[in-house]
Amino acid sequence: MAARGSCVSRQRQVLFLFLLGGLCLAGSELGRYSVTEETERGSFVANLAKDLGLGVEALAAKRTRVVCDDNKQHLFLDSHTGDLLTNEKLDREKLCGPTEPCMLYFQILMDNPFQIYRAELRILDINDHSPIFQDKKMILKILENTAVGTTFRLERAQDSDGGRNGIQNYTISPNTFFHITVHNSDEGMIYPELVLDKALDWEGQPEFSLTLTALDGGSPPRSGTATIHILVLDINDNAPQFPQELYEIQAPENSPIGLVVIKVTGEDVDSGVNAEISYSFFDASEDIRATFQINPFSGEITLKALLDYEFIKSYKLNVQAVDGGGLSARCTVLVRVLDVNDNAPELIMSSLVNEVVENSPETVLAVFRINDRDSGENGKMVCHIQENLPFLLKPSVDNFYILMTEGALDRESRAEYNITITVSDLGTPRLTTQHTIRVQVSDINDNAPAFNQTSYTLFVRENNSPAMHIGTISATDSDAGSNAHITYSLLPTQDLQMTLTSLVSINADNGQLFAIKALDYEALQAFEFHVGATDRGSPELSSQALVRVVVLDDNDNAPFVLYPMQNASAPYTELLPRTATLDRMPGCHSSYSRPRSPGCSVCGPTMARCAPPGC
Ligand SMILES: *[C@@H]1O[C@H](CO)[C@@H](O)[C@H](O)[C@H]1NC(C)=O
Ligand SMILES: *[C@@H]1O[C@H](CO)[C@@H](O)[C@H](O)[C@H]1NC(C)=O
Ligand SMILES: *[C@@H]1O[C@H](CO)[C@@H](O)[C@H](O)[C@H]1NC(C)=O
Ligand SMILES: *[C@@H]1O[C@H](CO)[C@@H](O)[C@H](O)[C@H]1NC(C)=O
């Protein structure tokens, strides 16, 4: 019988990240340890730091953890000392039943790089149980003419301890008629047999009581007793008989309660009460008593609990038929439980990360183990993830699997993956378990902002109102978050003769461009500058585009005669349009006067020339 108990996962979400280069997919054997059952929680098992040749800090840095095969937390690792300690009082009988030695298999998992160490812990038995007879009082009816040397099988006692602490011997209280011999049964247990040493005489002594003692091999030994009441019969009667000594039957583990697994029938050649047979189990273990019942009149054996192949694979039922005179016969029914694919595979996550940074090399996302309690094909499993995903499933030792990225991921092409791990067994019908892991690809700043046009040409009609919106530039960044947060700016121009910031301004957030003041076609017909778009990544990335502003002419100048003067009294300044007086020209430090000819500008009142040469 395997160690009992099913698995409850300790779903610790551990964040870990490492390269394939150092990944150890095979497990190494660490060692065999032992601990005595029933010792207090916190008992020392091993010092892992020493046994793994690592410091306590390294154990912590590698997130060392202990996983038991049955996924129960029998053990824990003291991170301060590196000691592996028991996490509970271990009860050998509860963990292993009669199986001896009682082994607990466990793994030590470490990250950076991922490693599995296999180890085993033997739970040493202590003699904490005494032998117990199910029936403290046995009645044995024996015909007075029974031959000397005839043997009578007696019910054995039960002792939960295993190995040497189990039952080792039976003795009987001193008497002249019987002695005890001890035999090994094929289940590795011993049972007592009473041997008749001297002919019985009903007339001499019709009944007597003996004490049967079962002794275990503990030090000191424990014992249990039962009384055997022997009744000597003087009626000439025949014992019942079974046509077969052994019946072998098979029962699938999904058989319903109440199913008649077999009907045994004994025959008795006597008549009347001496031929009335009553059936019962003999020497039945607790498991048998809990699972089967026998109809004392019909001999039908029915199921009273569900069979579980994973728990017990076969039962050996000893059936006894006793007639009305008290004579008995025995046969054996061997019930083989057939496995049915009644357990879906289980997936137990050991560690899991839900986020992976884009552009990083092979990264481990999850370490998990699969398990199926069925046997044979029903317990064989295959494990896969969807196709066409950039992830790999790598098998490791002890049904451990490692889910990792195949290589660098690009968040800009896909930012989220739902990876479904499907575990199926090979039974009929197939049972399947699925587990979906949602993985987010986190951004790194690997994309510069991109303008939607390489250059922009904006047309502005002259004499615009100041602060007029003249156009918008736009860039996008395929990264996310602050890596995609764009800031627009005017780039310093090479043209020393143009102070860009006095002409245009840009909204850093949305790329809207404004003319700061009214433009004058007669002064400036077009100008060019570069704009930049910068993201807020670290390091930041930027790009630039060319903007050309073309000023459109408006018919804003009436023709006039400069010479000869038509009205001598008119002051010179009145030749200038009023609107021009407050404007400033690029390169001029004060108000300027009206240009004398199109395309030329003249600064005033200092009259310093800032027009293109040739004006
Ligand atoms: C069992 O007990 C009897 C009586 O004490 C003794 O003679 C015999 O050697 C014992 N057998 C074993 C296997 O210890
Ligand atoms: C992943 O699964 C979740 C939850 O079922 C769903 O909301 C999400 O859209 C899925 N994502 C993808 C990329 O399929
Ligand atoms: C670029 O973006 C600007 C501002 O949003 C828009 O007016 C213009 O049409 C876009 N150009 C292209 C080619 O989409
Ligand atoms: C200038 O000439 C105009 C028209 O010729 C006339 O109306 C105006 O009065 C003159 N101005 C002066 C100051 O003489």
Side-chain angles (χ1 to χ4, degrees):
M1 201 188 320
R4 299 177 193 186
S6 66
C7 314
V8 183
S9 151
R10 166 187 47 150
Q11 293 252 356
R12 242 179 37 173
Q13 300 233 330
V14 184
L15 213 82
F16 61 108
L17 196 85
F18 44 84
L19 306 187
L20 180 63
L23 189 64
C24 171
L25 294 175
S28 325
E29 298 294 337
L30 183 62
R32 293 179 170 204
Y33 302 105
S34 63
V35 69
T36 304
E37 67 162 332
E38 301 298 336
T39 48
E40 291 303 317
R41 172 177 190 268
S43 297
F44 177 84
V45 174
N47 185 282
L48 284 190
K50 192 173 126 246
D51 292 0
L52 291 166
L54 292 168
V56 175
E57 299 76 23
L59 279 191
K62 287 168 167 287
R63 293 179 217 278
T64 308
R65 52 210 186 271
V66 179
V67 186
C68 289
D69 251 18
D70 62 1
N71 286 297
K72 287 190 177 159
Q73 275 298 287
H74 300 299
L75 302 170
F76 78 96
L77 183 61
D78 183 335
S79 54
H80 300 297
T81 58
D83 282 346
L84 184 64
L85 306 173
T86 59
N87 197 29
E88 61 187 355
K89 240 188 206 181
L90 294 167
D91 182 356
R92 197 208 68 86
E93 286 72 41
K94 219 164 109 192
L95 284 168
C96 296
T99 309
E100 185 56 32
C102 175
M103 308 300 286
L104 197 69
Y105 298 94
F106 64 98
Q107 288 84 24
I108 293 149
L109 306 188
M110 290 198 290
D111 300 337
N112 304 319
F114 181 73
Q115 274 174 302
I116 298 181
Y117 289 95
R118 291 190 277 189
E120 51 194 53
L121 177 67
R122 178 168 176 188
I123 317 294
L124 301 173
D125 189 38
I126 60 166
N127 194 19
D128 52 350
H129 295 88
S130 294
I132 292 174
F133 286 96
Q134 304 268 6
D135 288 325
K136 294 258 186 276
K137 241 185 186 155
M138 307 178 198
I139 295 173
L140 204 60
K141 296 179 182 173
I142 306 174
L143 285 173
E144 62 175 332
N145 62 353
T146 302
V148 169
T150 305
T151 57
F152 303 89
R153 167 105 188 245
L154 298 176
E155 287 213 50
R156 61 176 173 233
Q158 317 271 336
D159 190 322
S160 312
D161 293 318
R164 278 225 55 83
N165 291 329
I167 293 167
Q168 300 296 329
N169 207 354
Y170 289 91
T171 58
I172 192 114
S173 51
N175 69 92
T176 48
F177 289 98
F178 298 95
H179 75 274
I180 287 280
T181 55
V182 172
H183 300 268
N184 282 310
S185 75
D186 43 6
E187 296 129 83
M189 308 249 195
I190 60 165
Y191 63 88
E193 242 176 18
L194 202 60
V195 187
L196 185 63
D197 291 333
K198 191 178 149 192
L200 296 167
D201 179 15
W202 179 78
E203 285 73 23
Q205 190 174 359
E207 58 184 88
F208 40 98
S209 282
L210 301 172
T211 304
L212 177 66
T213 305
L215 290 163
D216 68 21
S219 160
R222 288 171 173 250
S223 63
T225 59
T227 309
I228 309 172
H229 201 69
I230 294 168
L231 299 177
V232 183
L233 305 178
D234 80 339
I235 310 151
N236 197 8
D237 179 28
N238 293 288
Q241 278 189 329
F242 281 108
Q244 268 174 264
E245 257 181 36
L246 177 69
Y247 297 87
E248 277 195 63
I249 54 167
Q250 299 185 326
E253 60 175 328
N254 59 355
S255 301
I257 290 173
L259 178 82
V260 178
V261 293
I262 191 171
K263 180 177 176 188
V264 289
T265 312
E267 284 149 17
D268 197 308
V269 294
D270 294 322
S271 58
V273 122
N274 286 337
E276 278 174 14
I277 295 177
S278 154
Y279 301 92
S280 61
F281 289 133
F282 179 82
D283 236 0
S285 67
E286 230 165 277
D287 288 330
I288 290 175
R289 286 167 204 265
T291 314
F292 298 94
Q293 64 187 19
I294 187 161
N295 183 318
F297 307 109
S298 68
E300 281 182 346
I301 297 175
T302 49
L303 278 183
K304 78 186 230 208
L306 290 174
L307 299 170
D308 184 357
Y309 178 86
E310 285 67 44
F311 186 42
I312 298 179
K313 296 181 171 46
S314 70
Y315 296 87
K316 197 170 172 187
L317 315 177
N318 293 311
V319 178
Q320 174 173 252
V322 182
D323 70 17
L327 296 176
S328 62
R330 270 190 291 281
C331 72
T332 302
V333 177
L334 187 63
V335 182
R336 289 190 203 285
V337 183
L338 299 180
D339 189 34
V340 169
N341 195 20
D342 56 349
N343 291 289
E346 298 169 298
L347 188 153
I348 307 112
M349 202 51 83
S350 282
S351 46
L352 175 66
V353 285
N354 291 100
E355 195 169 303
V356 57
V357 179
E358 67 169 327
N359 301 347
S360 40
E362 291 93 343
T363 304
V364 170
L365 294 172
V367 176
F368 62 91
R369 138 187 287 183
I370 58 175
N371 184 35
D372 193 308
R373 302 208 305 126
D374 292 314
S375 41
E377 294 294 298
N378 293 340
K380 283 191 190 146
M381 294 164 286
V382 288
C383 184
H384 65 92
I385 55 172
Q386 306 100 298
E387 279 175 16
N388 310 322
L389 284 187
F391 300 95
L392 289 176
L393 205 51
K394 297 203 168 185
S396 180
V397 292
D398 291 349
N399 280 331
F400 272 99
Y401 279 83
I402 295 164
L403 176 69
M404 56 195 314
T405 60
E406 216 168 36
L409 297 176
D410 181 19
R411 194 207 62 87
E412 284 70 43
S413 46
R414 189 159 170 189
E416 186 187 87
Y417 294 89
N418 284 338
I419 308 166
T420 302
I421 304 166
T422 306
V423 191
S424 332
D425 61 29
L426 304 183
T428 327
R430 277 191 166 209
L431 294 177
T432 293
T433 299
Q434 287 196 326
H435 190 101
T436 298
I437 298 173
R438 193 170 177 181
V439 176
Q440 310 274 353
V441 184
S442 59
D443 191 41
I444 61 166
N445 195 20
D446 55 350
N447 290 282
F451 282 99
N452 68 347
Q453 291 169 223
T454 47
S455 66
Y456 298 81
T457 306
L458 307 177
F459 296 94
V460 190
R461 194 156 287 281
E462 66 170 330
N463 300 331
N464 56 286
S465 52
M468 188 182 87
H469 176 216
I470 58 173
T472 304
I473 56 164
S474 172
T476 50
D477 192 315
S478 47
D479 289 317
S482 60
N483 291 339
H485 194 120
I486 294 175
T487 304
Y488 297 95
S489 61
L490 298 177
L491 297 181
T493 173
Q494 306 295 320
D495 188 348
L496 295 171
Q497 292 180 325
M498 189 170 80
T499 303
L500 189 59
T501 47
S502 67
L503 281 176
V504 283
S505 72
I506 191 162
N507 181 323
D509 294 327
N510 60 19
Q512 287 182 341
L513 287 163
F514 298 91
I516 287 183
K517 62 181 180 194
L519 294 172
D520 181 5
Y521 173 83
E522 285 69 30
L524 188 63
Q525 287 171 341
F527 57 98
E528 287 182 352
F529 56 94
H530 282 97
V531 285
T534 307
D535 63 32
R536 293 198 190 158
S538 168
E540 57 182 37
L541 295 173
S542 62
S543 53
Q544 49 178 273
L546 180 72
V547 178
R548 182 176 167 81
V549 178
V550 177
V551 184
L552 298 176
D553 189 24
D554 229 359
N555 191 16
D556 56 347
N557 290 296
F560 59 91
V561 178
L562 278 176
Y563 183 83
M565 275 190 176
Q566 294 200 316
N567 192 331
S569 65
Y572 177 67
T573 52
E574 283 199 0
L575 295 170
L576 304 173
R578 287 176 65 86
T579 54
T581 53
L582 292 174
D583 287 350
R584 281 184 70 211
M585 255 312 275
C588 296
H589 299 284
S590 56
S591 303
Y592 72 95
S593 59
R594 225 25 224 164
R596 290 293 176 266
S597 58
C600 298
S601 57
V602 177
C603 297
T606 56
M607 302 301 275
R609 290 184 66 87
C610 60
C615 285

